[in-house]
Amino acid sequence: QKEVEQNSGPLSVPEGAIASLNCTYSDRGSQSFFWYRQYSGKSPELIMSIYSNGDKEDGRFTAQLNKASQYVSLLIRDSQPSDSATYLCAVNLFYSGGGADGLTFGKGTHLIIQP
Amino acid sequence: DGGITQSPKYLFRKEGQNVTLSCEQNLNHDAMYWYRQDPGQGLRLIYYSQIVNDFQKGDIAEGYSVSREKKESFPLTVTSAQKNPTAFYLCASSIDRPGDTQYFGPGTRLTVL
């Protein structure tokens, strides 16, 4: 069973604080991991991709990957009200049993940044 | 500007009608995808295509059909066999493999009247 799990939230964070979003996945063989941001009524936009264990930083965003524990997280530093959105985790699950390929998306975490 | 376009932005369908959603990309990507998103739900894969004239069913293909006659275009038809078609439909593309980064179009919101 392909699964990508996220806490649906809402996660409420004060402006200027660090927002921490987490995602777990079911298959140890997964190779590619992505974070997308989706504003209400809009399509997802890519924030970051990560492929190797450890941290990857891009501006105020840091993605963290731990393949042994099967989780990937996204940290947002100095959170701004404009960061309020739903954040989708996507994983390229290793799927050897046939059927659909590609990315499996979590249901997303709704993040609210309080001014 | 390179990107993915979807049309129409909003679409209304009567019961028993087939409708076709357009997706075009000028990114020179080989792979294209169709997803469906329901309120509070993640994205579910309907169909994907890695090359022209070839496509594969996703997790929820029943009631949908696609074609891939050109690299740039991947239209989705929602048939009358799809019993609950009201949803937000998203088209995406990636360079070649499904595990690559996927980029999304703006989406089509379909409502059944």
Side-chain angles (χ1 to χ4, degrees), chain B residues 29-89:
Chain B
H29 286 174
D30 285 322
M32 298 186 73
Y33 315 82
W34 275 105
Y35 292 92
R36 168 181 173 144
Q37 188 176 36
D38 294 283
Q41 301 295 313
L43 278 63
R44 292 186 289 168
L45 183 65
I46 304 173
Y47 269 99
Y48 73 101
S49 168
Q50 285 190 257
I51 56 172
V52 173
N53 292 322
D54 185 58
F55 46 83
Q56 304 296 326
K57 291 182 178 180
D59 299 316
I60 56 164
E62 185 175 352
Y64 300 97
S65 65
V66 293
S67 63
R68 187 87 185 275
E69 297 177 1
K70 298 187 300 182
K71 185 175 182 178
E72 300 80 17
S73 179
F74 191 40
L76 173 74
T77 296
V78 184
T79 75
S80 57
Q82 170 50 238
K83 297 306 178 188
N84 186 22
T86 295
F88 189 38
Y89 289 87

Short mmCIF file of all heavy atoms in Angstrom, two decimals, chain B residues 29-89:
data_model
loop_
_atom_site.label_atom_id
_atom_site.label_comp_id
_atom_site.label_asym_id
_atom_site.label_seq_id
_atom_site.Cartn_x
_atom_site.Cartn_y
_atom_site.Cartn_z
N HIS B 29 8.60 18.92 -22.20
CA HIS B 29 8.60 17.76 -21.31
C HIS B 29 8.00 16.55 -22.02
O HIS B 29 7.02 16.67 -22.77
CB HIS B 29 7.78 18.06 -20.05
CG HIS B 29 8.50 18.98 -19.10
ND1 HIS B 29 7.90 19.46 -17.97
CD2 HIS B 29 9.76 19.47 -19.11
CE1 HIS B 29 8.76 20.22 -17.31
NE2 HIS B 29 9.89 20.25 -18.00
N ASP B 30 8.57 15.38 -21.73
CA ASP B 30 8.03 14.16 -22.32
C ASP B 30 6.82 13.63 -21.55
O ASP B 30 5.89 13.10 -22.14
CB ASP B 30 9.11 13.06 -22.33
CG ASP B 30 10.15 13.29 -23.42
OD1 ASP B 30 9.76 13.73 -24.51
OD2 ASP B 30 11.34 13.02 -23.17
N ALA B 31 6.84 13.75 -20.23
CA ALA B 31 5.80 13.12 -19.40
C ALA B 31 4.73 14.13 -19.01
O ALA B 31 5.02 15.28 -18.69
CB ALA B 31 6.42 12.51 -18.15
N MET B 32 3.49 13.68 -19.05
CA MET B 32 2.36 14.51 -18.63
C MET B 32 1.41 13.68 -17.79
O MET B 32 1.33 12.45 -17.94
CB MET B 32 1.65 15.11 -19.86
CG MET B 32 2.55 16.03 -20.67
SD MET B 32 1.71 16.87 -22.03
CE MET B 32 0.73 18.08 -21.13
N TYR B 33 0.67 14.38 -16.93
CA TYR B 33 -0.17 13.72 -15.93
C TYR B 33 -1.50 14.45 -15.75
O TYR B 33 -1.57 15.67 -15.93
CB TYR B 33 0.53 13.71 -14.56
CG TYR B 33 1.98 13.34 -14.60
CD1 TYR B 33 2.95 14.27 -14.93
CD2 TYR B 33 2.38 12.03 -14.31
CE1 TYR B 33 4.28 13.93 -14.98
CE2 TYR B 33 3.72 11.69 -14.36
CZ TYR B 33 4.66 12.64 -14.69
OH TYR B 33 5.98 12.29 -14.75
N TRP B 34 -2.49 13.69 -15.33
CA TRP B 34 -3.75 14.28 -14.88
C TRP B 34 -4.04 13.79 -13.48
O TRP B 34 -3.99 12.59 -13.19
CB TRP B 34 -4.91 13.87 -15.79
CG TRP B 34 -5.06 14.75 -16.99
CD1 TRP B 34 -4.73 14.46 -18.27
CD2 TRP B 34 -5.62 16.07 -17.02
NE1 TRP B 34 -5.02 15.51 -19.10
CE2 TRP B 34 -5.58 16.52 -18.35
CE3 TRP B 34 -6.15 16.93 -16.05
CZ2 TRP B 34 -6.04 17.77 -18.74
CZ3 TRP B 34 -6.59 18.18 -16.43
CH2 TRP B 34 -6.54 18.59 -17.77
N TYR B 35 -4.36 14.77 -12.60
CA TYR B 35 -4.74 14.49 -11.23
C TYR B 35 -6.13 15.06 -10.96
O TYR B 35 -6.55 16.03 -11.57
CB TYR B 35 -3.77 15.14 -10.24
CG TYR B 35 -2.38 14.57 -10.23
CD1 TYR B 35 -1.37 15.11 -11.03
CD2 TYR B 35 -2.05 13.50 -9.39
CE1 TYR B 35 -0.09 14.60 -11.01
CE2 TYR B 35 -0.77 13.00 -9.36
CZ TYR B 35 0.21 13.55 -10.16
OH TYR B 35 1.48 13.05 -10.13
N ARG B 36 -6.73 14.48 -9.98
CA ARG B 36 -8.00 14.99 -9.47
C ARG B 36 -7.80 15.34 -8.00
O ARG B 36 -7.16 14.58 -7.25
CB ARG B 36 -9.08 13.92 -9.62
CG ARG B 36 -10.35 14.19 -8.88
CD ARG B 36 -11.37 13.10 -9.04
NE ARG B 36 -12.50 13.36 -8.18
CZ ARG B 36 -13.76 13.09 -8.48
NH1 ARG B 36 -14.04 12.51 -9.66
NH2 ARG B 36 -14.73 13.36 -7.65
N GLN B 37 -8.37 16.49 -7.58
CA GLN B 37 -8.29 16.88 -6.18
C GLN B 37 -9.69 17.21 -5.68
O GLN B 37 -10.38 18.05 -6.24
CB GLN B 37 -7.37 18.09 -5.98
CG GLN B 37 -7.11 18.42 -4.52
CD GLN B 37 -6.13 19.55 -4.36
OE1 GLN B 37 -6.10 20.50 -5.14
NE2 GLN B 37 -5.27 19.46 -3.34
N ASP B 38 -10.09 16.54 -4.61
CA ASP B 38 -11.35 16.81 -3.95
C ASP B 38 -11.08 17.59 -2.67
O ASP B 38 -9.97 17.50 -2.11
CB ASP B 38 -12.07 15.49 -3.65
CG ASP B 38 -12.48 14.79 -4.94
OD1 ASP B 38 -13.48 15.22 -5.53
OD2 ASP B 38 -11.80 13.83 -5.35
N PRO B 39 -12.06 18.35 -2.17
CA PRO B 39 -11.83 19.18 -0.97
C PRO B 39 -11.24 18.38 0.18
O PRO B 39 -11.75 17.31 0.53
CB PRO B 39 -13.24 19.68 -0.65
CG PRO B 39 -13.95 19.69 -1.95
CD PRO B 39 -13.43 18.50 -2.70
N GLY B 40 -10.17 18.90 0.74
CA GLY B 40 -9.54 18.25 1.89
C GLY B 40 -8.78 16.98 1.56
O GLY B 40 -8.33 16.28 2.46
N GLN B 41 -8.64 16.72 0.27
CA GLN B 41 -7.96 15.48 -0.15
C GLN B 41 -6.67 15.79 -0.88
O GLN B 41 -6.47 16.88 -1.39
CB GLN B 41 -8.89 14.68 -1.07
CG GLN B 41 -10.20 14.29 -0.44
CD GLN B 41 -10.01 13.34 0.71
OE1 GLN B 41 -9.26 12.35 0.61
NE2 GLN B 41 -10.64 13.61 1.83
N GLY B 42 -5.82 14.80 -0.94
CA GLY B 42 -4.61 14.93 -1.73
C GLY B 42 -4.91 14.75 -3.20
O GLY B 42 -6.06 14.59 -3.62
N LEU B 43 -3.86 14.78 -3.99
CA LEU B 43 -4.01 14.59 -5.42
C LEU B 43 -4.05 13.10 -5.75
O LEU B 43 -3.23 12.33 -5.25
CB LEU B 43 -2.82 15.24 -6.16
CG LEU B 43 -2.88 16.74 -6.40
CD1 LEU B 43 -2.90 17.51 -5.11
CD2 LEU B 43 -1.73 17.17 -7.28
N ARG B 44 -4.97 12.72 -6.60
CA ARG B 44 -5.06 11.33 -7.03
C ARG B 44 -4.83 11.26 -8.54
O ARG B 44 -5.43 12.01 -9.30
CB ARG B 44 -6.43 10.76 -6.66
CG ARG B 44 -6.63 10.60 -5.16
CD ARG B 44 -7.94 9.90 -4.86
NE ARG B 44 -9.09 10.76 -5.13
CZ ARG B 44 -10.34 10.32 -5.16
NH1 ARG B 44 -10.61 9.05 -4.93
NH2 ARG B 44 -11.34 11.16 -5.41
N LEU B 45 -3.98 10.33 -8.92
CA LEU B 45 -3.55 10.23 -10.32
C LEU B 45 -4.62 9.54 -11.16
O LEU B 45 -5.07 8.45 -10.82
CB LEU B 45 -2.24 9.45 -10.40
CG LEU B 45 -1.62 9.30 -11.78
CD1 LEU B 45 -1.19 10.65 -12.33
CD2 LEU B 45 -0.42 8.35 -11.71
N ILE B 46 -5.00 10.18 -12.26
CA ILE B 46 -6.00 9.62 -13.17
C ILE B 46 -5.31 8.86 -14.30
O ILE B 46 -5.56 7.68 -14.53
CB ILE B 46 -6.90 10.72 -13.74
CG1 ILE B 46 -7.56 11.53 -12.63
CG2 ILE B 46 -7.97 10.11 -14.65
CD1 ILE B 46 -8.33 12.75 -13.13
N TYR B 47 -4.47 9.55 -15.05
CA TYR B 47 -3.72 8.97 -16.16
C TYR B 47 -2.37 9.67 -16.24
O TYR B 47 -2.23 10.81 -15.80
CB TYR B 47 -4.45 9.18 -17.50
CG TYR B 47 -5.39 8.11 -17.92
CD1 TYR B 47 -6.76 8.25 -17.70
CD2 TYR B 47 -4.94 6.96 -18.57
CE1 TYR B 47 -7.65 7.27 -18.11
CE2 TYR B 47 -5.83 5.97 -18.99
CZ TYR B 47 -7.19 6.14 -18.75
OH TYR B 47 -8.07 5.17 -19.15
N TYR B 48 -1.41 8.97 -16.85
CA TYR B 48 -0.16 9.64 -17.18
C TYR B 48 0.38 9.10 -18.49
O TYR B 48 0.01 8.00 -18.92
CB TYR B 48 0.87 9.52 -16.05
CG TYR B 48 1.50 8.17 -15.88
CD1 TYR B 48 2.78 7.90 -16.38
CD2 TYR B 48 0.85 7.17 -15.18
CE1 TYR B 48 3.37 6.67 -16.20
CE2 TYR B 48 1.43 5.93 -14.99
CZ TYR B 48 2.70 5.69 -15.50
OH TYR B 48 3.28 4.46 -15.33
N SER B 49 1.24 9.89 -19.10
CA SER B 49 1.82 9.54 -20.39
C SER B 49 3.30 9.92 -20.37
O SER B 49 3.64 11.04 -20.04
CB SER B 49 1.11 10.30 -21.52
OG SER B 49 1.81 10.18 -22.72
N GLN B 50 4.14 8.97 -20.74
CA GLN B 50 5.58 9.25 -20.78
C GLN B 50 6.06 9.60 -22.18
O GLN B 50 7.12 10.23 -22.33
CB GLN B 50 6.36 8.05 -20.25
CG GLN B 50 6.28 7.92 -18.73
CD GLN B 50 7.24 6.88 -18.19
OE1 GLN B 50 6.84 5.78 -17.85
NE2 GLN B 50 8.51 7.24 -18.08
N ILE B 51 5.33 9.15 -23.19
CA ILE B 51 5.71 9.48 -24.57
C ILE B 51 4.45 9.61 -25.42
O ILE B 51 3.37 9.16 -25.01
CB ILE B 51 6.63 8.40 -25.20
CG1 ILE B 51 5.96 7.02 -25.14
CG2 ILE B 51 7.98 8.38 -24.52
CD1 ILE B 51 6.70 5.96 -25.90
N VAL B 52 4.61 10.19 -26.57
CA VAL B 52 3.49 10.36 -27.49
C VAL B 52 2.92 9.00 -27.85
O VAL B 52 3.65 8.02 -28.00
CB VAL B 52 3.96 11.12 -28.75
CG1 VAL B 52 2.85 11.16 -29.80
CG2 VAL B 52 4.40 12.53 -28.38
N ASN B 53 1.58 8.97 -27.96
CA ASN B 53 0.84 7.76 -28.35
C ASN B 53 0.93 6.64 -27.33
O ASN B 53 0.66 5.47 -27.67
CB ASN B 53 1.29 7.25 -29.72
CG ASN B 53 0.90 8.20 -30.84
OD1 ASN B 53 -0.17 8.80 -30.81
ND2 ASN B 53 1.78 8.36 -31.81
N ASP B 54 1.29 6.96 -26.12
CA ASP B 54 1.30 5.96 -25.05
C ASP B 54 0.86 6.60 -23.75
O ASP B 54 1.27 7.72 -23.42
CB ASP B 54 2.69 5.37 -24.89
CG ASP B 54 2.70 4.23 -23.88
OD1 ASP B 54 1.96 3.25 -24.07
OD2 ASP B 54 3.42 4.35 -22.87
N PHE B 55 -0.01 5.92 -23.00
CA PHE B 55 -0.43 6.43 -21.71
C PHE B 55 -0.82 5.26 -20.82
O PHE B 55 -1.11 4.15 -21.30
CB PHE B 55 -1.60 7.42 -21.84
CG PHE B 55 -2.71 6.98 -22.77
CD1 PHE B 55 -3.71 6.13 -22.32
CD2 PHE B 55 -2.74 7.41 -24.09
CE1 PHE B 55 -4.72 5.72 -23.17
CE2 PHE B 55 -3.75 7.02 -24.94
CZ PHE B 55 -4.75 6.17 -24.49
N GLN B 56 -0.81 5.51 -19.52
CA GLN B 56 -1.06 4.48 -18.52
C GLN B 56 -2.15 4.94 -17.56
O GLN B 56 -2.22 6.13 -17.22
CB GLN B 56 0.21 4.18 -17.72
CG GLN B 56 1.41 3.78 -18.57
CD GLN B 56 1.19 2.48 -19.31
OE1 GLN B 56 0.53 1.58 -18.82
NE2 GLN B 56 1.73 2.40 -20.52
N LYS B 57 -2.95 3.99 -17.10
CA LYS B 57 -3.96 4.30 -16.10
C LYS B 57 -3.30 4.60 -14.77
O LYS B 57 -2.33 3.95 -14.38
CB LYS B 57 -4.93 3.14 -15.95
CG LYS B 57 -5.82 2.92 -17.15
CD LYS B 57 -6.79 1.77 -16.89
CE LYS B 57 -7.73 1.58 -18.09
NZ LYS B 57 -8.68 0.47 -17.85
N GLY B 58 -3.89 5.55 -14.06
CA GLY B 58 -3.49 5.82 -12.70
C GLY B 58 -4.40 5.09 -11.73
O GLY B 58 -5.01 4.07 -12.05
N ASP B 59 -4.51 5.65 -10.54
CA ASP B 59 -5.27 4.97 -9.48
C ASP B 59 -6.78 5.08 -9.65
O ASP B 59 -7.53 4.26 -9.10
CB ASP B 59 -4.87 5.56 -8.12
CG ASP B 59 -3.40 5.36 -7.82
OD1 ASP B 59 -2.90 4.24 -8.06
OD2 ASP B 59 -2.75 6.31 -7.36
N ILE B 60 -7.25 6.09 -10.38
CA ILE B 60 -8.70 6.33 -10.48
C ILE B 60 -9.11 6.59 -11.93
O ILE B 60 -9.81 7.54 -12.22
CB ILE B 60 -9.14 7.49 -9.56
CG1 ILE B 60 -8.35 8.76 -9.87
CG2 ILE B 60 -8.98 7.12 -8.09
CD1 ILE B 60 -8.99 10.02 -9.28
N ALA B 61 -8.72 5.73 -12.86
CA ALA B 61 -8.94 5.97 -14.29
C ALA B 61 -10.38 5.72 -14.76
O ALA B 61 -10.77 6.18 -15.83
CB ALA B 61 -7.98 5.11 -15.10
N GLU B 62 -11.15 4.99 -13.98
CA GLU B 62 -12.50 4.64 -14.43
C GLU B 62 -13.35 5.87 -14.67
O GLU B 62 -13.45 6.75 -13.82
CB GLU B 62 -13.19 3.73 -13.40
CG GLU B 62 -14.55 3.23 -13.86
CD GLU B 62 -15.17 2.25 -12.89
OE1 GLU B 62 -14.49 1.83 -11.93
OE2 GLU B 62 -16.35 1.90 -13.08
N GLY B 63 -13.97 5.93 -15.87
CA GLY B 63 -14.82 7.06 -16.21
C GLY B 63 -14.08 8.19 -16.90
O GLY B 63 -14.69 9.22 -17.21
N TYR B 64 -12.79 8.01 -17.14
CA TYR B 64 -11.98 9.02 -17.81
C TYR B 64 -11.29 8.41 -19.02
O TYR B 64 -11.05 7.20 -19.07
CB TYR B 64 -10.89 9.56 -16.87
CG TYR B 64 -11.40 10.21 -15.61
CD1 TYR B 64 -11.48 9.51 -14.42
CD2 TYR B 64 -11.79 11.55 -15.61
CE1 TYR B 64 -11.93 10.10 -13.26
CE2 TYR B 64 -12.24 12.16 -14.45
CZ TYR B 64 -12.31 11.43 -13.28
OH TYR B 64 -12.76 12.04 -12.13
N SER B 65 -10.95 9.26 -20.00
CA SER B 65 -10.13 8.81 -21.12
C SER B 65 -9.18 9.94 -21.51
O SER B 65 -9.45 11.12 -21.25
CB SER B 65 -10.97 8.39 -22.32
OG SER B 65 -11.68 9.50 -22.85
N VAL B 66 -8.05 9.56 -22.13
CA VAL B 66 -7.06 10.54 -22.54
C VAL B 66 -6.54 10.17 -23.93
O VAL B 66 -6.78 9.08 -24.44
CB VAL B 66 -5.86 10.61 -21.57
CG1 VAL B 66 -6.28 11.15 -20.22
CG2 VAL B 66 -5.21 9.23 -21.43
N SER B 67 -5.82 11.11 -24.52
CA SER B 67 -5.08 10.87 -25.75
C SER B 67 -3.78 11.64 -25.68
O SER B 67 -3.67 12.62 -24.94
CB SER B 67 -5.88 11.27 -26.98
OG SER B 67 -6.15 12.66 -26.96
N ARG B 68 -2.78 11.18 -26.41
CA ARG B 68 -1.50 11.90 -26.47
C ARG B 68 -0.98 11.81 -27.90
O ARG B 68 -0.09 11.04 -28.23
CB ARG B 68 -0.49 11.27 -25.50
CG ARG B 68 0.80 12.07 -25.40
CD ARG B 68 0.76 13.15 -24.40
NE ARG B 68 1.93 13.98 -24.37
CZ ARG B 68 3.04 13.71 -23.68
NH1 ARG B 68 3.17 12.59 -23.01
NH2 ARG B 68 4.04 14.58 -23.68
N GLU B 69 -1.57 12.63 -28.75
CA GLU B 69 -1.21 12.64 -30.17
C GLU B 69 -0.04 13.56 -30.44
O GLU B 69 0.66 13.41 -31.45
CB GLU B 69 -2.42 13.04 -31.01
CG GLU B 69 -3.58 12.04 -30.90
CD GLU B 69 -4.80 12.48 -31.68
OE1 GLU B 69 -4.74 13.55 -32.32
OE2 GLU B 69 -5.81 11.76 -31.64
N LYS B 70 0.17 14.53 -29.57
CA LYS B 70 1.28 15.47 -29.71
C LYS B 70 2.01 15.57 -28.38
O LYS B 70 1.39 15.44 -27.32
CB LYS B 70 0.79 16.86 -30.11
CG LYS B 70 0.08 16.93 -31.43
CD LYS B 70 -0.22 18.38 -31.80
CE LYS B 70 -1.09 19.05 -30.76
NZ LYS B 70 -1.42 20.46 -31.13
N LYS B 71 3.28 15.85 -28.42
CA LYS B 71 4.06 15.95 -27.19
C LYS B 71 3.52 17.06 -26.30
O LYS B 71 3.55 16.96 -25.08
CB LYS B 71 5.52 16.25 -27.56
CG LYS B 71 6.47 16.26 -26.40
CD LYS B 71 7.89 16.45 -26.88
CE LYS B 71 8.87 16.41 -25.73
NZ LYS B 71 10.28 16.54 -26.20
N GLU B 72 3.02 18.12 -26.91
CA GLU B 72 2.62 19.30 -26.15
C GLU B 72 1.24 19.18 -25.50
O GLU B 72 0.88 19.97 -24.66
CB GLU B 72 2.60 20.53 -27.07
CG GLU B 72 3.93 20.86 -27.71
CD GLU B 72 4.21 19.98 -28.92
OE1 GLU B 72 3.26 19.35 -29.46
OE2 GLU B 72 5.38 19.90 -29.33
N SER B 73 0.44 18.22 -25.92
CA SER B 73 -0.97 18.21 -25.57
C SER B 73 -1.40 16.89 -24.94
O SER B 73 -1.04 15.80 -25.43
CB SER B 73 -1.79 18.47 -26.83
OG SER B 73 -3.17 18.45 -26.55
N PHE B 74 -2.21 16.98 -23.89
CA PHE B 74 -2.68 15.77 -23.19
C PHE B 74 -4.11 16.03 -22.68
O PHE B 74 -4.34 16.25 -21.50
CB PHE B 74 -1.74 15.47 -22.03
CG PHE B 74 -1.92 14.13 -21.38
CD1 PHE B 74 -2.19 12.98 -22.11
CD2 PHE B 74 -1.79 13.99 -19.99
CE1 PHE B 74 -2.34 11.74 -21.51
CE2 PHE B 74 -1.93 12.75 -19.37
CZ PHE B 74 -2.20 11.62 -20.13
N PRO B 75 -5.09 16.00 -23.57
CA PRO B 75 -6.47 16.28 -23.16
C PRO B 75 -7.10 15.14 -22.36
O PRO B 75 -6.81 13.97 -22.61
CB PRO B 75 -7.20 16.50 -24.49
CG PRO B 75 -6.39 15.73 -25.48
CD PRO B 75 -4.97 15.81 -25.02
N LEU B 76 -7.95 15.50 -21.43
CA LEU B 76 -8.67 14.55 -20.58
C LEU B 76 -10.16 14.66 -20.86
O LEU B 76 -10.72 15.76 -20.81
CB LEU B 76 -8.41 14.86 -19.10
CG LEU B 76 -9.23 14.06 -18.09
CD1 LEU B 76 -8.71 12.62 -17.99
CD2 LEU B 76 -9.17 14.72 -16.70
N THR B 77 -10.80 13.54 -21.14
CA THR B 77 -12.25 13.51 -21.31
C THR B 77 -12.89 12.87 -20.08
O THR B 77 -12.49 11.77 -19.69
CB THR B 77 -12.66 12.74 -22.57
OG1 THR B 77 -12.16 13.44 -23.72
CG2 THR B 77 -14.18 12.66 -22.69
N VAL B 78 -13.81 13.59 -19.50
CA VAL B 78 -14.59 13.07 -18.38
C VAL B 78 -15.88 12.54 -18.98
O VAL B 78 -16.69 13.31 -19.53
CB VAL B 78 -14.87 14.17 -17.34
CG1 VAL B 78 -15.61 13.58 -16.14
CG2 VAL B 78 -13.58 14.84 -16.92
N THR B 79 -16.07 11.25 -18.93
CA THR B 79 -17.23 10.65 -19.58
C THR B 79 -18.42 10.57 -18.64
O THR B 79 -18.28 10.76 -17.42
CB THR B 79 -16.90 9.25 -20.12
OG1 THR B 79 -16.85 8.34 -19.01
CG2 THR B 79 -15.58 9.23 -20.86
N SER B 80 -19.56 10.22 -19.19
CA SER B 80 -20.78 10.09 -18.40
C SER B 80 -20.69 8.90 -17.44
O SER B 80 -21.48 8.80 -16.50
CB SER B 80 -21.99 9.93 -19.31
OG SER B 80 -21.83 8.82 -20.16
N ALA B 81 -19.71 8.05 -17.66
CA ALA B 81 -19.52 6.90 -16.76
C ALA B 81 -18.88 7.29 -15.43
O ALA B 81 -18.93 6.52 -14.47
CB ALA B 81 -18.64 5.85 -17.45
N GLN B 82 -18.32 8.49 -15.37
CA GLN B 82 -17.73 8.98 -14.12
C GLN B 82 -18.87 9.52 -13.26
O GLN B 82 -19.46 10.56 -13.57
CB GLN B 82 -16.68 10.05 -14.41
CG GLN B 82 -16.15 10.80 -13.18
CD GLN B 82 -15.70 9.91 -12.05
OE1 GLN B 82 -16.18 10.00 -10.93
NE2 GLN B 82 -14.78 9.02 -12.36
N LYS B 83 -19.15 8.83 -12.18
CA LYS B 83 -20.37 9.12 -11.41
C LYS B 83 -20.27 10.34 -10.52
O LYS B 83 -21.28 10.92 -10.14
CB LYS B 83 -20.71 7.89 -10.55
CG LYS B 83 -21.03 6.65 -11.38
CD LYS B 83 -22.13 6.92 -12.39
CE LYS B 83 -22.42 5.71 -13.24
NZ LYS B 83 -23.36 6.01 -14.35
N ASN B 84 -19.09 10.73 -10.15
CA ASN B 84 -18.93 11.87 -9.26
C ASN B 84 -17.80 12.76 -9.77
O ASN B 84 -16.73 12.82 -9.17
CB ASN B 84 -18.62 11.37 -7.84
CG ASN B 84 -18.60 12.51 -6.84
OD1 ASN B 84 -19.17 13.57 -7.08
ND2 ASN B 84 -17.90 12.30 -5.74
N PRO B 85 -18.00 13.44 -10.89
CA PRO B 85 -16.92 14.16 -11.54
C PRO B 85 -16.62 15.55 -10.97
O PRO B 85 -15.62 16.14 -11.36
CB PRO B 85 -17.40 14.29 -12.99
CG PRO B 85 -18.88 14.32 -12.87
CD PRO B 85 -19.24 13.44 -11.71
N THR B 86 -17.45 16.07 -10.10
CA THR B 86 -17.20 17.41 -9.56
C THR B 86 -15.90 17.40 -8.76
O THR B 86 -15.79 16.71 -7.76
CB THR B 86 -18.37 17.86 -8.68
OG1 THR B 86 -19.54 18.00 -9.49
CG2 THR B 86 -18.06 19.19 -8.00
N ALA B 87 -14.92 18.19 -9.21
CA ALA B 87 -13.60 18.21 -8.58
C ALA B 87 -12.74 19.26 -9.25
O ALA B 87 -13.14 19.89 -10.24
CB ALA B 87 -12.92 16.84 -8.71
N PHE B 88 -11.54 19.43 -8.72
CA PHE B 88 -10.52 20.31 -9.28
C PHE B 88 -9.54 19.41 -10.04
O PHE B 88 -8.97 18.49 -9.45
CB PHE B 88 -9.83 21.05 -8.13
CG PHE B 88 -8.90 22.15 -8.54
CD1 PHE B 88 -9.19 22.98 -9.61
CD2 PHE B 88 -7.74 22.38 -7.84
CE1 PHE B 88 -8.34 24.02 -9.97
CE2 PHE B 88 -6.87 23.41 -8.18
CZ PHE B 88 -7.18 24.22 -9.25
N TYR B 89 -9.37 19.65 -11.33
CA TYR B 89 -8.53 18.79 -12.16
C TYR B 89 -7.22 19.52 -12.49
O TYR B 89 -7.22 20.65 -12.99
CB TYR B 89 -9.25 18.41 -13.46
CG TYR B 89 -10.38 17.44 -13.20
CD1 TYR B 89 -11.65 17.89 -12.86
CD2 TYR B 89 -10.17 16.06 -13.25
CE1 TYR B 89 -12.69 17.01 -12.59
CE2 TYR B 89 -11.19 15.18 -12.99
CZ TYR B 89 -12.45 15.66 -12.66
OH TYR B 89 -13.46 14.78 -12.39
#
